[in-house]
Amino acid sequence: MVKVSAGIKFGRGVSSCLKYLEAVPWSEEEEEKLRDLFPKLNVDDDTATDVLDRLFTLNSVDSQRTLTKHLIWSITNSTDANARNELKSLVKGLLCKSSVYEKPYPDLNKEDIFAVCKSCLDSLSSLLEEASSTDASLKLTKNKKDRPLIERISKQVDNINWLLDILLDHQMAEDFADMWANQEELLKMHHNASPMVRYELSRVSALLFIALGTRKLHCPSETRLKLLQVWFSPMLSDFGWLNRCKKGLDMKALEEAMGQALLTLPLKEQYSLFMDWFQCFSKHGSECPNLSKSFQIWWRRSFLRGSESFAIESR
């Protein structure tokens, strides 16, 4: 109607249409039609400005980046678990590559995400240091209003895994994998922490292993090797706790992906890590991941040659 009124220069009709459009909510389809229509109209009306202000914003790229960064910081610092989980789902959906809300803006700013990741890692390190400390005075200096230590550790791990999910969706997680592979201090704290605390670190490793084993994460061989050399053994130790406290983790997918990730390494390194698994599994059984299928593939590739090996693997 507004297009027709503008075409025949029916000013009162245009004004009425604009007042109506400005006053009512729009569906997604209506918004897209108006967004396409208004640049083609030559309308001089104060109400048109109000409609345009609902359709277009200045510096939309910069404002989206700033707002995204602010939302992510706010979520990771949220103190209400239910609200935090709800908002994580909301924002992840908005940022998802396949989201219906995706616009032709520049990709997610990796530096902003990594700044939050590093902040969460620093907080996690401090909490694990507190957990492994034998100095009672250190714990007494904490605010009495603080949540239980285990809950605060779990919150930071949840934050890190949420951010990692976003990075994986945008194919930006390679640097995070390298950063996690070089967490020497966290690894030392893992050795000193109790099982009910340290397994939280393996929740991060689990997400990375699954991404590697399912081809969602493509890392240089040096990064894959270091990541597995550093965090594979802790995963073997923590697998039983992960199985009891899954927190949404698909344990079958983890087992399959761990084996597949190992098979991406040179055979010599595969040998070392598969032997670690074999010894662990022989002693602890279901408390360790079952990598038998991948172990068989490694064995055949290592000791059988040519067409015989190919024939066995293709069965």
Side-chain angles (χ1 to χ4, degrees):
M1 183 69 72
V2 67
K3 182 178 181 180
V4 174
S5 297
I8 62 175
K9 300 186 183 302
F10 180 33
R12 290 176 60 187
V14 170
S15 181
S16 296
C17 289
L18 291 175
K19 287 180 180 178
Y20 172 77
L21 289 172
E22 194 279 329
V24 299
W26 308 326
S27 67
E28 294 277 342
E29 183 180 357
E30 289 170 337
E31 179 185 349
E32 289 303 319
K33 287 181 179 179
L34 289 171
R35 194 183 297 275
D36 181 63
L37 174 63
F38 259 76
K40 302 174 184 177
L41 296 178
N42 184 17
V43 179
D44 185 15
D45 190 291
D46 290 340
T47 311
T49 302
D50 295 332
V51 175
L52 287 170
D53 286 342
R54 286 176 60 179
L55 288 171
F56 304 101
T57 60
L58 296 176
N59 300 320
S60 58
V61 173
D62 291 337
S63 63
Q64 187 203 32
R65 285 178 175 172
T66 302
L67 180 58
T68 299
K69 181 179 179 180
H70 174 72
L71 293 177
I72 289 174
W73 276 107
S74 296
I75 289 171
T76 56
N77 288 291
S78 171
T79 56
D80 186 295
N82 291 331
R84 186 169 61 249
N85 292 334
E86 183 73 22
L87 291 173
K88 281 180 178 178
S89 178
L90 170 65
V91 172
K92 183 183 175 184
L94 294 175
L95 298 178
C96 180
K97 282 268 188 178
S98 60
S99 172
V100 296
Y101 298 103
E102 185 184 17
K103 303 295 182 183
Y105 295 141
D107 213 339
L108 193 68
N109 189 289
K110 184 170 71 172
E111 287 72 23
D112 290 343
I113 300 294
F114 267 79
V116 187
C117 283
K118 290 175 181 177
S119 175
C120 292
L121 283 171
D122 289 342
S123 297
L124 181 59
S125 295
S126 298
L127 292 169
L128 286 170
E129 184 177 2
E130 180 182 348
S132 60
S133 173
T134 56
D135 186 355
S137 63
L138 178 62
K139 297 182 180 181
L140 289 174
T141 60
K142 299 299 178 183
N143 193 319
K144 293 182 180 180
K145 295 182 180 180
D146 281 345
R147 296 280 186 174
L149 184 58
I150 294 177
E151 183 179 332
R152 285 181 281 146
I153 290 173
S154 182
K155 172 190 171 182
Q156 293 304 327
V157 171
D158 286 341
N159 286 339
I160 292 168
N161 276 356
W162 175 63
L163 294 167
L164 178 54
D165 262 336
I166 294 174
L167 290 170
L168 286 168
D169 184 65
H170 287 261
Q171 299 179 344
M172 296 179 177
E174 292 84 354
D175 289 343
F176 181 90
D178 184 67
M179 182 169 63
W180 189 249
N182 287 282
Q183 293 296 317
E184 296 178 1
E185 288 301 316
L186 281 181
L187 185 63
K188 291 178 182 177
M189 294 178 191
H190 179 278
H191 294 325
N192 297 327
S194 68
M196 65 186 302
V197 170
R198 73 187 187 199
Y199 90 96
E200 292 282 355
L201 293 176
S202 287
R203 289 175 56 209
V204 180
S205 300
L207 193 56
L208 287 168
F209 290 168
I210 290 173
L212 283 173
T214 55
R215 305 183 181 184
K216 293 180 180 178
L217 176 59
H218 311 139
C219 292
S221 58
E222 296 83 1
T223 301
R224 293 197 311 274
L225 177 58
K226 186 165 187 180
L227 182 66
L228 287 162
Q229 285 179 331
V230 170
W231 291 109
F232 182 73
S233 180
M235 177 63 73
L236 296 181
S237 301
D238 296 335
F239 189 83
W241 273 90
L242 284 171
N243 203 27
R244 287 186 287 273
C245 307
K246 297 181 178 66
K247 297 186 178 180
L249 184 61
D250 186 335
M251 300 305 293
K252 287 295 182 183
L254 175 59
E255 285 182 307
E256 178 69 21
M258 285 178 68
Q260 290 298 316
L262 288 184
L263 292 171
T264 67
L265 301 178
L267 288 173
K268 182 179 179 181
E269 278 69 33
Q270 289 184 41
Y271 166 78
S272 176
L273 294 173
F274 272 122
M275 288 300 99
D276 289 344
W277 165 78
F278 195 92
Q279 292 179 14
C280 178
F281 192 72
S282 66
K283 293 179 181 178
H284 303 291
S286 61
E287 289 291 295
C288 286
N290 189 342
L291 307 184
S292 298
K293 182 179 178 181
S294 298
F295 184 82
Q296 291 178 55
I297 294 174
W298 164 77
W299 178 275
R300 292 163 184 165
R301 289 176 178 173
S302 298
F303 303 113
L304 300 179
R305 295 290 182 263
S307 59
E308 181 183 1
S309 176
F310 177 79
I312 293 175
E313 288 186 34
S314 61
R315 286 177 184 173

